[in-house]
Amino acid sequence: MNHYVAIVLWQAQHGDGAESLYSEEIHLLQASSLAQAEQQLHTRLTAQQTSYRNAAGEQVTWTVRQVLDIQPFLADATTDAVYCRHFRNWAAYQAFEPLLDGSL
C-alpha cells in the first residue's frame, strides 16, 4: 500500500446569498494505486458534504468545490516534507494566505 496526499477545496454557501466561505483541507489516503486513492477520496468527500441551519437559522451547505491535487506522499528517508506544490506569483499568494501577515 502507498500513501497519497489530496488537497481539497470546500465551499460553504448560505441560503441568504451571503459571501461564501472556503476551506482547504489536506487528506491522507492509503491505497494500492493513484486510481484507488482517487476513488477512496471521492467516497470520503461524498459522505462529508453536509447541510445544516446555523445559530442564526440560515441554511448552510458545504460542498466540494474542487479537488486541487492528489499525489504520492513525499516523506521518505531523504526528506521531511509530506507534500509540495509550486507557484510563481508571490503577490497572489500573499493576498490569499492570511497567516503571512498574522491575520486570520
Side-chain angles (χ1 to χ4, degrees):
M1 292 294 245
N2 301 309
H3 287 92
Y4 295 87
V5 177
I7 308 299
V8 179
L9 181 64
W10 288 84
Q11 180 178 12
Q13 294 177 304
H14 293 78
D16 65 0
E19 184 177 0
S20 291
L21 176 66
Y22 299 92
S23 174
E24 184 180 65
E25 292 182 348
I26 300 172
H27 289 255
L28 180 61
L29 305 154
Q30 188 173 3
S32 58
S33 67
L34 179 59
Q36 185 184 37
E38 289 170 344
Q39 180 58 48
Q40 187 182 112
L41 180 66
H42 174 75
T43 300
R44 181 185 297 182
L45 296 178
T46 299
Q48 290 179 351
Q49 294 184 99
T50 187
S51 186
Y52 59 88
R53 293 214 174 266
N54 65 14
E58 303 162 329
Q59 187 72 27
V60 178
T61 302
W62 281 96
T63 56
V64 174
R65 176 71 185 249
Q66 186 171 348
V67 174
L68 300 173
D69 195 12
I70 184 167
Q71 61 177 281
F73 191 77
L74 294 179
D76 61 24
T78 62
T79 181
D80 290 331
V82 295
Y83 175 80
C84 178
R85 67 178 174 177
H86 300 87
F87 59 92
R88 295 188 187 281
N89 189 331
W90 178 250
Y93 186 78
Q94 285 179 303
F96 160 77
E97 180 51 67
L99 297 177
L100 284 176
D101 68 2
S103 65
L104 188 58

